[in-house]
mmCIF file of all heavy atoms in Angstrom:
data_model
loop_
_atom_site.group_PDB
_atom_site.id
_atom_site.type_symbol
_atom_site.label_atom_id
_atom_site.label_comp_id
_atom_site.label_asym_id
_atom_site.label_seq_id
_atom_site.Cartn_x
_atom_site.Cartn_y
_atom_site.Cartn_z
ATOM 1 N N ILE I 207 -11.834 -6.612 -7.692
ATOM 2 C CA ILE I 207 -11.048 -5.612 -6.897
ATOM 3 C C ILE I 207 -9.615 -6.067 -6.965
ATOM 4 O O ILE I 207 -9.262 -7.190 -6.565
ATOM 5 C CB ILE I 207 -11.492 -5.522 -5.425
ATOM 6 C CG1 ILE I 207 -12.980 -5.083 -5.456
ATOM 7 C CG2 ILE I 207 -10.619 -4.554 -4.708
ATOM 8 C CD1 ILE I 207 -13.619 -5.180 -4.052
ATOM 9 N N ILE I 208 -8.745 -5.169 -7.487
ATOM 10 C CA ILE I 208 -7.294 -5.551 -7.496
ATOM 11 C C ILE I 208 -6.681 -4.767 -6.407
ATOM 12 O O ILE I 208 -6.769 -3.499 -6.329
ATOM 13 C CB ILE I 208 -6.622 -5.046 -8.857
ATOM 14 C CG1 ILE I 208 -7.364 -5.748 -9.996
ATOM 15 C CG2 ILE I 208 -5.205 -5.232 -8.838
ATOM 16 C CD1 ILE I 208 -7.077 -5.134 -11.369
ATOM 17 N N VAL I 209 -6.167 -5.428 -5.369
ATOM 18 C CA VAL I 209 -5.609 -4.796 -4.154
ATOM 19 C C VAL I 209 -4.088 -4.762 -4.323
ATOM 20 O O VAL I 209 -3.416 -5.817 -4.461
ATOM 21 C CB VAL I 209 -6.035 -5.596 -2.908
ATOM 22 C CG1 VAL I 209 -5.488 -4.904 -1.642
ATOM 23 C CG2 VAL I 209 -7.478 -5.827 -2.841
ATOM 24 N N LEU I 210 -3.554 -3.528 -4.330
ATOM 25 C CA LEU I 210 -2.078 -3.346 -4.365
ATOM 26 C C LEU I 210 -1.533 -3.141 -3.055
ATOM 27 O O LEU I 210 -1.915 -2.231 -2.296
ATOM 28 C CB LEU I 210 -1.715 -2.206 -5.281
ATOM 29 C CG LEU I 210 -2.269 -2.232 -6.706
ATOM 30 C CD1 LEU I 210 -1.845 -0.992 -7.528
ATOM 31 C CD2 LEU I 210 -1.674 -3.498 -7.438
ATOM 32 N N ILE I 211 -0.577 -4.042 -2.668
ATOM 33 C CA ILE I 211 0.075 -3.879 -1.343
ATOM 34 C C ILE I 211 1.584 -3.779 -1.539
ATOM 35 O O ILE I 211 2.105 -4.198 -2.608
ATOM 36 C CB ILE I 211 -0.277 -5.003 -0.353
ATOM 37 C CG1 ILE I 211 0.254 -6.322 -0.792
ATOM 38 C CG2 ILE I 211 -1.775 -5.101 -0.176
ATOM 39 C CD1 ILE I 211 0.097 -7.431 0.119
ATOM 40 N N LEU I 268 -11.681 -0.614 4.846
ATOM 41 C CA LEU I 268 -11.073 -1.640 4.022
ATOM 42 C C LEU I 268 -12.258 -2.727 3.783
ATOM 43 O O LEU I 268 -12.443 -3.143 2.634
ATOM 44 C CB LEU I 268 -9.842 -2.277 4.576
ATOM 45 C CG LEU I 268 -9.307 -3.488 3.880
ATOM 46 C CD1 LEU I 268 -8.835 -3.142 2.434
ATOM 47 C CD2 LEU I 268 -8.131 -4.125 4.655
ATOM 48 N N LEU I 272 -13.971 -3.782 0.237
ATOM 49 C CA LEU I 272 -13.743 -5.165 -0.236
ATOM 50 C C LEU I 272 -15.078 -5.816 -0.559
ATOM 51 O O LEU I 272 -15.182 -6.813 -1.282
ATOM 52 C CB LEU I 272 -12.973 -6.076 0.717
ATOM 53 C CG LEU I 272 -11.469 -5.703 0.783
ATOM 54 C CD1 LEU I 272 -10.852 -6.483 1.963
ATOM 55 C CD2 LEU I 272 -10.739 -5.985 -0.487
ATOM 56 N N ILE I 278 -12.595 -2.140 -9.107
ATOM 57 C CA ILE I 278 -11.733 -1.035 -8.592
ATOM 58 C C ILE I 278 -10.284 -1.587 -8.408
ATOM 59 O O ILE I 278 -10.116 -2.798 -8.294
ATOM 60 C CB ILE I 278 -12.213 -0.396 -7.303
ATOM 61 C CG1 ILE I 278 -12.279 -1.458 -6.191
ATOM 62 C CG2 ILE I 278 -13.534 0.295 -7.454
ATOM 63 C CD1 ILE I 278 -12.490 -0.855 -4.788
ATOM 64 N N ILE I 279 -9.396 -0.611 -8.411
ATOM 65 C CA ILE I 279 -8.025 -0.862 -8.000
ATOM 66 C C ILE I 279 -7.914 -0.181 -6.649
ATOM 67 O O ILE I 279 -8.162 1.005 -6.551
ATOM 68 C CB ILE I 279 -6.998 -0.307 -9.016
ATOM 69 C CG1 ILE I 279 -7.190 -1.039 -10.341
ATOM 70 C CG2 ILE I 279 -5.628 -0.427 -8.471
ATOM 71 C CD1 ILE I 279 -6.683 -0.249 -11.504
ATOM 72 N N LEU I 280 -7.552 -1.014 -5.675
ATOM 73 C CA LEU I 280 -7.498 -0.479 -4.293
ATOM 74 C C LEU I 280 -5.996 -0.483 -3.813
ATOM 75 O O LEU I 280 -5.353 -1.477 -3.734
ATOM 76 C CB LEU I 280 -8.249 -1.398 -3.386
ATOM 77 C CG LEU I 280 -8.311 -1.066 -1.845
ATOM 78 C CD1 LEU I 280 -8.836 0.369 -1.637
ATOM 79 C CD2 LEU I 280 -9.206 -2.067 -1.157
ATOM 80 N N SER I 281 -5.478 0.821 -3.695
ATOM 81 C CA SER I 281 -4.125 0.952 -3.219
ATOM 82 C C SER I 281 -4.067 1.213 -1.749
ATOM 83 O O SER I 281 -4.729 2.088 -1.234
ATOM 84 C CB SER I 281 -3.528 2.181 -4.003
ATOM 85 O OG SER I 281 -2.288 2.462 -3.522
ATOM 86 N N LEU I 282 -3.344 0.294 -1.076
ATOM 87 C CA LEU I 282 -3.325 0.336 0.413
ATOM 88 C C LEU I 282 -2.121 1.114 0.970
ATOM 89 O O LEU I 282 -1.099 1.191 0.243
ATOM 90 C CB LEU I 282 -3.304 -1.057 0.955
ATOM 91 C CG LEU I 282 -4.446 -1.976 0.593
ATOM 92 C CD1 LEU I 282 -4.326 -3.291 1.379
ATOM 93 C CD2 LEU I 282 -5.799 -1.341 0.841
ATOM 94 N N ILE I 296 -8.484 -9.295 3.112
ATOM 95 C CA ILE I 296 -8.070 -9.180 1.716
ATOM 96 C C ILE I 296 -8.064 -10.561 1.147
ATOM 97 O O ILE I 296 -8.686 -10.770 -0.007
ATOM 98 C CB ILE I 296 -6.719 -8.530 1.580
ATOM 99 C CG1 ILE I 296 -6.827 -7.037 2.006
ATOM 100 C CG2 ILE I 296 -6.166 -8.605 0.135
ATOM 101 C CD1 ILE I 296 -5.449 -6.397 2.322
ATOM 102 N N ALA I 302 -11.616 -10.294 -4.773
ATOM 103 C CA ALA I 302 -10.432 -9.525 -4.746
ATOM 104 C C ALA I 302 -9.234 -10.368 -5.129
ATOM 105 O O ALA I 302 -9.121 -11.527 -4.863
ATOM 106 C CB ALA I 302 -10.254 -8.911 -3.356
ATOM 107 N N THR I 303 -8.296 -9.738 -5.808
ATOM 108 C CA THR I 303 -6.986 -10.285 -6.160
ATOM 109 C C THR I 303 -5.901 -9.370 -5.526
ATOM 110 O O THR I 303 -5.952 -8.182 -5.733
ATOM 111 C CB THR I 303 -6.822 -10.398 -7.668
ATOM 112 O OG1 THR I 303 -7.800 -11.266 -8.176
ATOM 113 C CG2 THR I 303 -5.430 -10.903 -7.941
ATOM 114 N N SER I 304 -5.066 -9.981 -4.689
ATOM 115 C CA SER I 304 -4.062 -9.137 -4.043
ATOM 116 C C SER I 304 -2.653 -9.275 -4.760
ATOM 117 O O SER I 304 -2.340 -10.434 -5.130
ATOM 118 C CB SER I 304 -3.934 -9.465 -2.596
ATOM 119 O OG SER I 304 -3.713 -10.863 -2.398
ATOM 120 N N ILE I 305 -2.039 -8.187 -4.900
ATOM 121 C CA ILE I 305 -0.694 -8.210 -5.606
ATOM 122 C C ILE I 305 0.262 -7.357 -4.691
ATOM 123 O O ILE I 305 0.029 -6.176 -4.415
ATOM 124 C CB ILE I 305 -0.863 -7.538 -6.975
ATOM 125 C CG1 ILE I 305 -1.849 -8.345 -7.858
ATOM 126 C CG2 ILE I 305 0.542 -7.463 -7.654
ATOM 127 C CD1 ILE I 305 -2.217 -7.699 -9.133
ATOM 128 N N TYR I 306 1.345 -8.038 -4.417
ATOM 129 C CA TYR I 306 2.401 -7.456 -3.558
ATOM 130 C C TYR I 306 3.460 -6.905 -4.563
ATOM 131 O O TYR I 306 4.060 -7.688 -5.331
ATOM 132 C CB TYR I 306 2.990 -8.517 -2.669
ATOM 133 C CG TYR I 306 4.275 -8.121 -1.919
ATOM 134 C CD1 TYR I 306 4.652 -6.751 -1.687
ATOM 135 C CD2 TYR I 306 5.154 -9.126 -1.483
ATOM 136 C CE1 TYR I 306 5.824 -6.442 -0.950
ATOM 137 C CE2 TYR I 306 6.302 -8.827 -0.767
ATOM 138 C CZ TYR I 306 6.673 -7.502 -0.547
ATOM 139 O OH TYR I 306 7.772 -7.194 0.136
ATOM 140 N N ALA I 355 -0.140 -12.214 -0.071
ATOM 141 C CA ALA I 355 -0.767 -11.762 -1.267
ATOM 142 C C ALA I 355 -0.860 -12.929 -2.253
ATOM 143 O O ALA I 355 0.049 -13.803 -2.289
ATOM 144 C CB ALA I 355 -0.015 -10.590 -1.851
#
Side-chain angles (χ1 to χ4, degrees):
I207 299 169
I208 302 167
V209 184
L210 299 178
I211 66 171
L268 173 64
L272 289 171
I278 63 169
I279 296 158
L280 180 56
S281 176
L282 303 184
I296 295 163
T303 298
S304 54
I305 300 170
Y306 170 25

